[in-house]
C-alpha cells in the first residue's frame, strides 16, 4: 500500500473502497456525520448474526454471548482504544456512556461549578445542566468564537479555569457536532489537570477518523460510539473510566449486575443489540485493514479541503470551521452571510443540485449548513458541491 498521505488522493483506490458500500440512488449524501454506512461485508455479517441469534435465542446468548464471546468483544474494543479491558464498558451509544458518567460522578460538593461550552452536544449539555440543577451547582459556560484558532481555544479554557477555582468537572468535545471543529484536547486536558478539574471527553465523532492515544490524553472519563466513523451497526457505544478513578463514578441506578468494583455497573442496565455486538470483530478487522483512523482521516480531510478551499474564496459565504489543519476533520460548516436561517439554502442545495446536507444551530455561531464527506464521496460529488455553492453565492 502506498504511504497513507499519497493514498488519500488515489482515486482508483478509494473508488474500490466506495464500491464496498451499497448506496441508494437519489440525493448525494453530504450528511455522513449522523451515522456511518456499513460496508456490504459488515451488513451481511450483521444480517447473519440477526438470523443466528433469532434462531438460537438464549440457548446461545446465555452461555456464549454473556460469557466468553462478550469477554472477547470487550477485549477487542479495549485494543481499539489502547486501554485495559477493565477500563471500558459496552453501551448503546455515546450519549448513554456520557450521560451515565455525568449523572453518576460522585465527587461534587455544594458550591462546586461545572464547565461546559456552547459547542457541547445536546445530550451532554442537558446532562451537565441537569446535574447542576439537582445538586444546586453553578454552570460556567464558554462561548466560542468562530472561526476559532488553536491558541484562542486553549487560552479561553486556561483563562476560565484560572478565574473559577471552584470548577470541579468539565465536558469537552473532541470533535464538535456543529462545525466539525477538532478541539486541542491534549492542551485543554493538561490545563484542566493542572487545576485539578476532571474532564468527561465526548469522543463520538473522533473515534475512527482521528488518531489519538486515550491514555496519553490523561482524561479520566470518556464516551464513544462505533456507528459513526468506525463503521459498525447502529447501537454500539463504549464508556471509558481510568481504572484509578472508578470509585468516583457510582454504579448507574445502583446497578449490582456484576460484583463490585466493576466498570460494567456504570453502563445503563439493559439488553443490548447482541447481533450488532457479534458483528464488531468484522467491523474492527475492516477498519484495521483500511489503515484505521489515520487512513480514513487523511482521505476525509483531503476531500473536505477540496471544497472548503474553494468555498473560502466565495464572497457571501463564511466557512465557520478554522483554517488550521489540526482543527479539521470530515465535517465542516458554512453559512451564507446574508441569511440568519440557513434552511432555504440547504433546501436549494437539495432541490436544485441534489445535494443532501443538514442545517445545525444552537451555538453562538448561529444557523449553519453542515457538510460532512464520507468514504463513498467522490470527486464528482465534491465538484457538484463547489459548483452549487458558487452559483448560490452569486445569488
Ligand atoms: C459530538 C457528539 N457527541 C455525542 C453524540 C451522540 O452520539 P450517540 O448518537 O452515539 O449517542 C453525537 C451524535 O451525533 C455527537 O455528534
Amino acid at each position: 500500500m502506498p504511504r497513507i498521505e499519497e493514498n488519500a488522493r488515489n482515486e482508483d483506490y478509494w473508488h474500490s473502497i466506495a464500491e464496498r458500500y451499497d448506496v441508494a440512488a437519489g440525493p448525494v449524501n453530504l450528511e455522513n456525520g449522523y451515522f456511518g454506512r456499513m460496508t456490504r461485508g459488515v451488513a451481511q455479517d450483521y444480517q447473519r448474526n440477526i438470523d443466528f441469534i433469532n434462531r438460537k435465542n438464549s440457548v446461545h446468548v446465555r452461555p456464549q454471548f454473556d460469557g466468553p464471546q462478550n469477554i472477547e468483544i470487550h477485549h477487542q474494543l479495549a485494543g481499539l482504544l489502547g486501554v485495559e479491558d477493565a477500563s471500558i464498558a459496552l453501551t448503546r451509544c455515546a450519549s448513554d456512556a456520557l450521560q451515565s458518567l455525568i449523572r453518576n460522578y460522585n465527587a461534587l460538593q455544594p458550591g462546586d461549578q461545572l464547565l461546559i461550552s456552547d459547542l457541547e452536544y445536546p445530550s451532554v449539555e442537558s446532562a451537565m445542566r441537569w446535574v447542576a440543577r439537582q445538586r444546586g451547582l453553578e454552570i460556567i459556560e464558554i462561548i466560542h468564537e468562530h472561526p476559532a484558532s488553536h491558541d484562542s481555544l486553549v487560552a479561553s479554557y486556561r483563562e476560565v479555569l484560572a478565574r473559577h477555582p471552584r470548577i470541579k468537572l468539565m465536558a469537552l468535545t473532541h470533535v464538535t457536532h456543529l462545525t466539525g471543529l477538532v478541539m486541542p484536547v491534549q492542551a485543554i486536558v493538561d490545563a484542566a489537570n493542572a487545576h485539578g478539574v476532571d474532564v468527561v471527553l465526548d469522543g463520538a465523532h473522533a473515534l475512527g477518523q482521528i488518531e489519538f492515544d486515550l491514555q496519553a490524553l490523561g482524561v479520566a472519563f470518556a464516551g464513544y460510539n462505533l456507528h459513526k466513523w468506525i463503521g459498525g451497526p447502529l447501537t454500539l457505544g463504549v464508556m471509558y473510566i481510568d481504572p484509578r478513578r472508578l470509585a468516583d463514578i457510582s454504579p448507574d441506578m445502583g446497578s449490582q449486575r456484576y460484583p463490585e468494583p466493576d466498570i460494567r455497573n456504570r453502563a445503563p442496565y439493559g439488553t443490548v443489540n447482541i447481533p450488532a455486538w457479534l458483528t464488531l470483530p468484522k467491523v474492527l478487522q475492516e477498519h484495521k485493514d483500511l489503515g484505521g483512523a489515520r487512513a480514513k482521516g487523511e482521505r476525509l480531510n483531503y476531500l473536505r479541503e477540496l471544497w472548503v478551499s474553494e468555498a473560502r474564496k466565495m464572497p457571501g459565504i463564511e466557512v465557520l470551521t478554522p483554517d488550521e489543519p489540526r482543527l479539521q476533520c470530515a465535517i465542516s460548516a458554512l453559512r451564507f452571510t446574508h441569511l440568519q436561517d440557513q434552511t432555504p439554502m440547504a433546501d436549494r442545495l437539495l432541490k436544485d443540485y441534489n445535494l443532501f446536507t443538514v442545517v445545525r444551530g444552537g451555538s453562538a455561531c448561529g444557523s449553519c449548513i453542515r457538510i460532512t464527506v464520507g468514504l463513498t464521496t467522490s470527486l464528482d460529488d465534491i465538484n457538484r458541491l463547489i459548483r452549487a455553492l458558487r452559483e448560490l453565492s452569486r445569488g
Side-chain angles (χ1 to χ4, degrees):
M1 203 198 263
R3 284 176 48 239
I4 279 173
E5 303 87 82
E6 291 162 20
N7 212 33
R9 34 189 89 210
N10 180 341
E11 293 311 316
D12 288 343
Y13 172 73
W14 287 102
H15 179 70
S16 73
I17 300 298
E19 294 270 283
R20 296 182 188 173
Y21 296 83
D22 285 325
V23 180
V28 174
N29 185 7
L30 292 175
E31 174 22 8
N32 291 284
Y34 191 173
F35 60 96
R37 276 198 182 89
M38 295 177 272
T39 62
R40 194 174 304 110
V42 167
Q44 285 167 351
D45 196 47
Y46 184 30
Q47 188 59 55
R48 266 194 301 275
N49 287 324
I50 291 173
D51 295 342
F52 175 73
I53 292 300
N54 196 42
R55 280 198 308 274
K56 300 287 262 190
N57 197 269
S58 29
V59 175
H60 174 85
V61 172
R62 290 239 181 258
Q64 294 301 323
F65 181 78
D66 291 351
Q69 248 173 1
N70 205 309
I71 292 169
E72 175 55 25
I73 289 166
H74 200 106
H75 181 65
Q76 290 197 18
L77 198 48
L80 175 75
L81 290 168
V83 297
E84 289 172 37
D85 292 13
S87 64
I88 63 160
L90 313 186
T91 63
R92 284 167 294 216
C93 57
S95 298
D96 262 12
L98 293 161
Q99 291 195 328
S100 178
L101 288 167
I102 293 166
R103 70 174 167 261
N104 295 310
Y105 179 75
N106 58 29
L108 293 166
Q109 304 295 331
D112 284 344
Q113 295 170 325
L114 307 179
L115 176 62
I116 59 172
S117 90
D118 67 329
L119 295 182
E120 253 57 84
Y121 192 72
S123 61
V124 171
E125 182 195 344
S126 65
M128 292 290 274
R129 291 193 189 279
W130 180 84
V131 165
R133 274 197 308 279
Q134 294 294 312
R135 305 195 198 165
L137 310 175
E138 189 187 354
I139 288 276
I140 306 293
E141 183 173 7
I142 294 177
I143 308 292
H144 291 293
E145 293 166 16
H146 297 278
S149 71
H150 177 279
D151 294 350
S152 74
L153 288 164
V154 178
S156 66
Y157 280 92
R158 283 202 185 123
E159 191 261 317
V160 166
L161 289 163
R163 193 147 43 87
H164 297 283
R166 284 156 50 217
I167 294 174
K168 176 73 188 163
L169 178 71
M170 63 180 264
L172 181 63
T173 308
H174 200 146
V175 174
T176 66
H177 71 291
L178 293 169
T179 65
L181 166 71
V182 179
M183 282 284 179
V185 170
Q186 186 70 73
I188 295 170
V189 171
D190 289 348
N193 287 342
H195 287 274
V197 173
D198 280 326
V199 177
V200 177
L201 182 65
D202 171 356
H205 262 299
L207 188 64
Q209 68 157 331
I210 308 256
E211 273 195 309
F212 60 87
D213 179 339
L214 181 52
Q215 262 173 344
L217 284 178
V219 289
F221 315 112
Y224 298 93
N225 62 39
L226 304 159
H227 48 236
K228 289 193 191 289
W229 300 103
I230 292 290
L234 283 164
T235 71
L236 304 186
V238 56
M239 166 194 287
Y240 166 77
I241 302 178
D242 176 337
R244 294 166 298 184
R245 302 298 308 281
L246 187 60
D248 292 310
I249 307 290
S250 301
D252 191 45
M253 307 302 289
S255 174
Q256 297 182 354
R257 191 169 186 174
Y258 304 96
E260 275 294 305
D262 193 317
I263 183 176
R264 290 174 295 177
N265 287 333
R266 277 77 190 159
Y269 195 112
T271 306
V272 298
N273 185 343
I274 298 162
W277 280 113
L278 289 180
T279 309
L280 192 69
K282 167 91 177 157
V283 173
L284 295 185
Q285 190 57 52
E286 287 200 359
H287 177 69
K288 195 164 151 226
D289 291 347
L290 202 63
R294 172 102 192 277
K296 285 183 183 173
E298 293 271 358
R299 171 64 177 176
L300 294 167
N301 253 309
Y302 167 67
L303 289 173
R304 137 200 210 276
E305 192 51 28
L306 290 176
W307 76 261
V308 169
S309 56
E310 291 302 315
R312 283 194 200 287
K313 295 184 229 155
M314 297 177 197
I317 287 187
E318 185 186 7
V319 176
L320 295 161
T321 315
D323 195 12
E324 250 179 281
R326 59 186 164 168
L327 305 184
Q328 301 165 349
C329 67
I331 310 167
S332 285
L334 60 81
R335 60 186 204 97
F336 290 85
T337 50
H338 69 288
L339 283 180
Q340 287 286 335
D341 176 7
Q342 300 293 311
T343 311
M345 290 317 219
D347 289 348
R348 286 201 58 194
L349 283 170
L350 182 59
K351 198 162 70 59
D352 300 347
Y353 300 94
N354 211 25
L355 296 170
F356 187 81
T357 59
V358 65
V359 175
R360 306 305 314 249
S363 81
C365 75
S367 171
C368 58
I369 299 178
R370 185 177 85 170
I371 294 173
T372 309
V373 296
L375 296 180
T376 54
T377 305
S378 67
L379 288 192
D380 282 351
D381 300 340
I382 298 286
N383 289 334
R384 183 192 292 234
L385 172 65
I386 293 170
R387 181 169 67 84
L389 293 176
R390 190 168 289 132
E391 288 177 9
L392 290 175
S393 72
R394 289 189 190 130

